[in-house]
Amino acid sequence: MRRTTAQQDRAAGTLLGMAAGDALGAGYEFTHPTPDQVIDMIGGGIGNFEPGEWTDDTSMAVAIALVTAEGIDVRTDAGLDAVAANFVRWFDDGPKDFGVMTGQVLRQRPASAQAMSLAASAIPGRHGGNGSLMRTAPIGLAFPGDPAATAEAALRVSALTHDDNRAGEACQIWSLLIEDAVRTGELDREWRVLQHLDSSVADHWLPLKKQAETGEPQQFPDNGWVVHALQTAWWAITTTDDLPRGIKAAVRAGHDTDTTAAIAGALLGATYGAASIPDRWREMLHGWPGLRAEDLVRLAHRTGVSGSA
Ligand SMILES: [Mg+2]
């Protein structure tokens, strides 16, 4: 599928918005900023990141985007193997920070996507962390105009590290919202995209969506969990009217700030486009594997236009 100039701008905005939210939130991870605290791209945080440096959230999304930008279908075994190999490559490069679930899976260095998913399933305890949702943005770009393919890919890529129905559903919902926003230029505030998923998904998630829109972040504080992470991001998006305010709101909600702001930033960028990201932030952005903002633009522009859809 060919994108219009405006659609290309929103595709680029998706990855740039994710990276901007990630780098903005990095300095505030596991804190609760006070109302008078300035939110800026200060770096620091758990991984002592450089100002403008993105963290594991964007790095893992880049690992996916490097595959989708080649026109490789990530629903196929070959495509999933390529994503899995990039996850291991990133992990072998010694990231400053990574999620609990992801670390437990990747330190086993699974040699294939199937081995990776099996390793994820074998880990005892709860599996519903936000670590697959935070990286799902490229899936929203990979299959323009094809919600069924978007939903299938989101589920399979999530399952590489997260054996959890809610994590998979969250990735499906967010990827579908991104696909829709990039194509139409409108945020699907009613989540009409749920028509592409099993009705049980709507039954579970629509009350959570409503709570996010009408409530406060204190009602969904455990945002290391995929459900509260999605709610925090949706709250930040629906209570603001531009990208900088939206990702700052996600950071101000506190706790897993880089991840909630990365999740929010992807859909905000898909809606408002690359032009909505302040130049100063865009110039500061950088991260694994030695990329900058313009490289994210290139990956976004190539994804979804070269044979994968
Ligand atoms: Mg992070």
Side-chain angles (χ1 to χ4, degrees):
M1 172 169 162
R2 278 199 161 273
R3 291 197 186 101
T4 65
T5 304
Q7 287 170 334
Q8 282 288 58
D9 183 70
R10 292 193 292 272
T14 303
L15 298 192
L16 289 173
M18 167 190 64
D22 183 6
L24 189 76
Y28 306 90
E29 193 175 10
F30 302 127
T31 72
H32 287 81
T34 57
D36 60 345
Q37 203 171 338
V38 174
I39 304 296
D40 202 358
M41 238 175 236
I42 55 173
I46 303 292
N48 197 21
F49 291 94
E50 296 163 16
E53 185 180 9
W54 61 68
T55 81
D56 52 330
D57 310 61
T58 301
S59 298
M60 295 195 78
V62 165
I64 298 168
L66 288 168
V67 176
T68 56
E70 295 298 319
I72 300 169
D73 187 334
V74 292
R75 294 171 297 170
T76 64
D77 288 345
L80 287 162
D81 283 344
V83 171
N86 279 348
F87 285 172
V88 172
R89 180 160 74 95
W90 162 74
F91 196 74
D92 281 344
D93 283 345
K96 295 176 180 176
D97 192 17
F98 48 82
V100 176
M101 282 300 306
T102 298
Q104 287 188 59
V105 173
L106 294 187
R107 73 168 52 96
Q108 300 178 43
R109 292 180 175 70
S112 68
Q114 191 183 20
M116 192 170 281
S117 289
L118 285 171
S121 304
I123 291 167
R126 289 175 65 185
H127 294 169
N130 60 23
S132 62
L133 176 59
M134 73 185 191
R135 65 177 194 233
T136 202
I139 307 300
L141 304 180
F143 305 94
D146 192 343
T150 303
E152 184 187 350
L155 197 63
R156 297 200 70 182
V157 173
S158 176
L160 287 174
T161 51
H162 288 64
D163 177 27
D164 183 86
N165 288 344
R166 299 304 174 213
E169 291 164 6
C171 290
Q172 291 183 304
I173 294 167
W174 216 249
S175 301
L176 287 167
L177 289 171
I178 289 169
E179 189 282 322
D180 187 82
V182 169
R183 187 163 37 78
T184 67
E186 302 282 338
L187 179 65
D188 177 10
R189 292 179 183 274
E190 307 304 320
W191 288 15
R192 290 183 301 271
V193 296
L194 288 174
Q195 68 185 285
H196 304 296
L197 303 174
D198 193 274
S199 63
S200 65
V201 178
D203 292 344
H204 184 80
W205 283 91
L206 285 178
L208 298 166
K209 168 184 182 286
K210 179 144 197 235
Q211 184 191 39
E213 290 165 352
T214 56
E216 295 294 333
Q218 294 88 330
Q219 292 171 260
F220 26 90
D222 182 18
N223 58 36
W225 178 37
V226 66
V227 173
H228 283 189
L230 189 148
Q231 286 186 288
T232 301
W234 188 249
W235 167 84
I237 291 168
T238 54
T239 54
T240 58
D241 56 9
D242 68 21
L243 183 140
R245 286 193 183 88
I247 59 176
K248 283 184 183 179
V251 173
R252 286 198 184 282
H255 195 57
D256 201 353
T257 51
D258 58 321
T259 294
T260 56
I263 296 164
L267 184 51
L268 285 162
T271 305
Y272 296 121
S276 68
I277 291 136
D279 289 344
R280 188 173 67 87
W281 287 356
R282 186 165 165 159
E283 284 158 17
M284 292 175 75
L285 288 175
H286 67 284
W288 185 90
L291 302 187
R292 304 199 62 91
E294 297 323 303
D295 299 302
L296 299 181
V297 172
R298 178 175 48 83
L299 290 172
H301 282 178
R302 288 188 184 172
T303 291
V305 296
S306 53
S308 62

